Amino acid sequence: MLNPRKHKGTLVLHEAELPGNIDALIRKAIAGENNIKVIAYTVIPVTETGLRRISELVLEKYSKSDLLPTVAMILKELALNAAKANFKRILFAMRRLDLENDADYERGMRDFKAAISEEWAIEYGRRSKQLNRRVEILFSYNAERLLINVVNNFPLSQKEEIRVRQKLAAAMQYEDIGDFFANCGDETEGAGLGLVLIMTALKSYGIDPHAFTIYVNAKDQTVASLEVPLSSSYQIRRHRLPHITQQEKT
Amino acid sequence: MKALNIEIRVISPETIVLDIAGDVNIYNANDLRREFDRHMTGGTRNFVLNFGKMTMIDSAGIGVLFTILNRVKNLPGKVLIVHARPNVVKLFEITKVAKFFNLLESEAEAIKILETVPATGQN
C-alpha cells in the first residue's frame, strides 16, 4: 500500500494502490459514509477493477447491488474518456496544435486515433503523471443517492464544449445503439457512442438520463457527474435545482 | 503484459473463430479492428467470437463489433458470439446491444448455424 490516507473525511487512493488489498480501507470509509477519491493517470484494467469494487461495496451497503452493472459500465466509460482527454491534450501540446483551430484539431485527432494502443497508453499515463494531468474519481454517497464525479483538472475548450453539448443532445435522442449507427455510419470513434450507451443503460434502470451531466466547475475543472438515486423519493439535482443545473453545461 | 489477446482459428476458407481474452477497451480496440480487416480482405465472411476469456468490453470495442456486423451483412456473412460471461451478457442487455447479436452457448452451436443456414446477411 503506497500512501492511502484520509483527510477532510475523504479516503484518497492512488491508481497504483488499486491492485492491492484495499477492501478493509474501503469498508471503513463506507461505514463512516466518508467520500472516496481515486486519483488515476492511465486507467488500466486494474483501475477499473478497483473502481468497480468501490461501487460494489457502496451499493451493497444500501442494498442496491442490482445497480452495479450499470454503475460499473458508466464509470469505466467516464474514467477512460477522462484519461483519453488528458492524453489528447498532451499530444496536441507536443505537436504544437491548437484545440480551437479546426484544421489543427482534425490533424491532431487523426494522429491521436492512429497512435492509440496499449503501449502508447502506458507511456502517455507516465507523461500525464509527470505533467499532473490527473483524473480524479470521487464517490460521495448516503442512503438517498450515490454521486460519482469524474474530474479532469482543466476546463473544456470552447469548441470541445460545443462538441460535447451536441453529442449529449444527440445521445438523449437515440433509442439505442442501432439508431446511433444508422445516423453515424461506421465512423464512430469520437462520435459519442459511449454517451449513447450511458443513456441507454440509465434508461434501462428507469433512471432519468439527466442524472448524467458534464460541466466546468468554479475551479475550471471539467466534471462528468452521475447521480444514482438510491431511494425512491430522491429527486436528481436537475429537478431539485433547475436554476443551478441550467448554468452547468449539460 | 497486454490487456487483450486475440487468437485465430480457421474453420473454413470463409469462417474463423476469434478467441478473445482480456479487456477490450479504447486502447486496444484497434487491434480487434485490424484482425477483422485482415481476415475480411482475405475472404472471411463468418466470424465466431469466443468471449469465454473476455473480461469486459467498452464502447470502443462495441463500436468495432457493430462496424464488423454492418460490413458482413453486405457480403453476406455472420457474426456470432459464444461463451460470453454473465457480466458481459448483462452489459449487452442493459445497453440494448444484445438485440443486435446472436449470443450463443457454444461454439458447436455457432458452427451448426453456419453449416445449416447459408449466410443471408441476417445476423
Side-chain angles (χ1 to χ4, degrees):
Chain A
M1 196 68 51
L2 291 179
N3 186 23
R5 58 193 182 279
K6 222 171 123 178
H7 61 89
K8 296 181 183 174
T10 299
L11 170 67
V12 180
L13 296 165
H14 290 263
E15 189 170 33
E17 297 164 324
L18 295 180
N21 186 1
I22 52 171
D23 266 24
L25 280 168
I26 298 170
R27 285 184 191 280
K28 192 175 171 189
I30 291 172
E33 287 191 341
N34 292 307
N35 293 347
I36 301 173
K37 180 192 283 187
V38 174
I39 297 171
Y41 297 94
T42 313
V43 185
I44 48 181
V46 290
T47 323
E48 182 205 337
T49 303
L51 295 173
R52 185 185 177 89
R53 184 64 178 151
I54 295 168
S55 308
E56 184 177 12
L57 292 174
V58 170
L59 292 170
E60 189 181 283
K61 175 183 171 83
Y62 301 110
S63 304
K64 287 287 181 183
S65 297
D66 59 314
L67 287 166
L68 180 62
T70 298
V71 170
M73 171 261 165
I74 295 175
L75 194 45
K76 179 185 173 103
E77 290 294 326
L78 298 183
L80 276 169
N81 207 46
K84 193 175 82 169
N86 285 341
F87 297 170
K88 187 167 83 179
R89 273 176 158 65
I90 292 170
L91 183 141
F92 273 62
M94 284 170 57
R95 301 192 181 186
R96 292 183 163 73
L97 296 171
D98 178 4
L99 277 164
E100 297 289 345
N101 177 294
D102 285 339
D104 276 8
Y105 188 82
E106 196 176 317
R107 189 176 140 207
M109 287 311 293
R110 201 170 47 238
D111 292 352
F112 181 81
K113 288 171 189 174
I116 210 161
S117 72
E118 289 184 8
E119 297 78 10
W120 180 88
I122 298 293
E123 175 56 28
Y124 269 65
R126 282 195 203 103
R127 291 182 189 182
S128 294
K129 193 167 186 177
Q130 286 164 2
L131 297 166
N132 194 30
R133 289 280 190 201
R134 55 171 58 188
V135 177
E136 292 186 356
I137 301 108
L138 180 68
F139 298 79
S140 57
Y141 47 89
N142 54 39
E144 291 291 302
R145 60 97 180 98
L146 163 63
L147 177 65
I148 300 174
N149 284 345
V150 179
V151 181
N152 284 102
N153 55 350
F154 57 80
L156 290 167
S157 72
Q158 279 188 334
K159 289 204 168 165
E160 282 176 318
E161 186 189 325
I162 291 168
R163 287 188 196 101
V164 167
R165 278 171 178 261
Q166 287 172 340
K167 287 178 194 172
L168 261 175
M172 294 264 185
Q173 303 304 316
Y174 293 130
E175 178 63 27
D176 57 36
I177 189 173
D179 257 4
F180 172 82
F181 272 87
N183 280 278
C184 296
D186 285 348
E187 293 304 315
T188 60
E189 174 58 39
L193 175 56
L195 293 176
V196 175
L197 294 179
I198 288 170
M199 296 301 161
T200 309
L202 289 174
K203 289 177 197 166
S204 290
Y205 270 93
I207 298 173
D208 185 336
H210 293 102
F212 173 69
T213 58
I214 298 174
Y215 59 91
V216 177
N217 67 15
K219 295 179 187 171
D220 257 358
Q221 298 169 320
T222 303
V223 183
S225 180
L226 175 69
E227 277 175 285
V228 183
L230 300 178
S231 86
S232 55
S233 60
Y234 182 76
Q235 280 194 305
I236 61 171
R237 289 181 72 222
R238 186 178 178 103
H239 295 156
R240 281 184 293 120
L241 307 164
H243 58 291
I244 290 177
T245 50
Q246 275 173 13
Q247 292 166 20
E248 295 175 348
K249 298 163 178 65
T250 55
Chain B
M1 184 183 160
K2 286 173 76 73
L4 173 67
N5 279 292
I6 304 166
E7 291 185 9
I8 308 292
R9 285 180 286 133
V10 177
I11 304 298
S12 75
E14 292 187 333
T15 302
I16 63 167
V17 177
L18 288 92
D19 296 310
I20 300 169
D23 188 87
V24 184
N25 59 40
I26 180 115
Y27 301 143
N28 55 38
N30 276 339
D31 294 347
L32 188 57
R33 188 188 301 272
R34 276 190 286 271
E35 285 297 333
F36 280 127
D37 287 345
R38 187 163 68 88
H39 288 278
M40 282 188 80
T41 305
T44 304
R45 61 186 179 122
N46 299 314
F47 295 87
V48 179
L49 311 182
N50 177 6
F51 279 8
K53 292 183 180 173
M54 193 181 81
T55 49
M56 198 28 101
I57 185 166
D58 74 351
S59 62
I62 289 171
V64 173
L65 297 184
F66 260 82
T67 301
I68 198 68
L69 183 68
N70 288 336
R71 285 172 58 191
V72 299
K73 274 180 182 170
N74 299 326
L75 292 175
K78 284 189 178 295
V79 177
L80 304 172
I81 294 171
V82 300
H83 298 308
R85 293 182 178 189
N87 62 322
V88 174
V89 173
K90 189 72 186 174
L91 171 74
F92 275 38
E93 286 171 356
I94 61 175
T95 55
K96 296 188 180 176
V97 169
K99 70 179 184 181
F100 298 96
F101 290 93
N102 274 334
L103 297 172
L104 304 170
E105 296 285 328
S106 72
E107 195 176 309
E109 197 180 345
I111 300 298
K112 193 174 174 186
I113 288 173
L114 294 175
E115 283 172 353
T116 56
V117 183
T120 60
Q122 180 60 49
N123 283 282

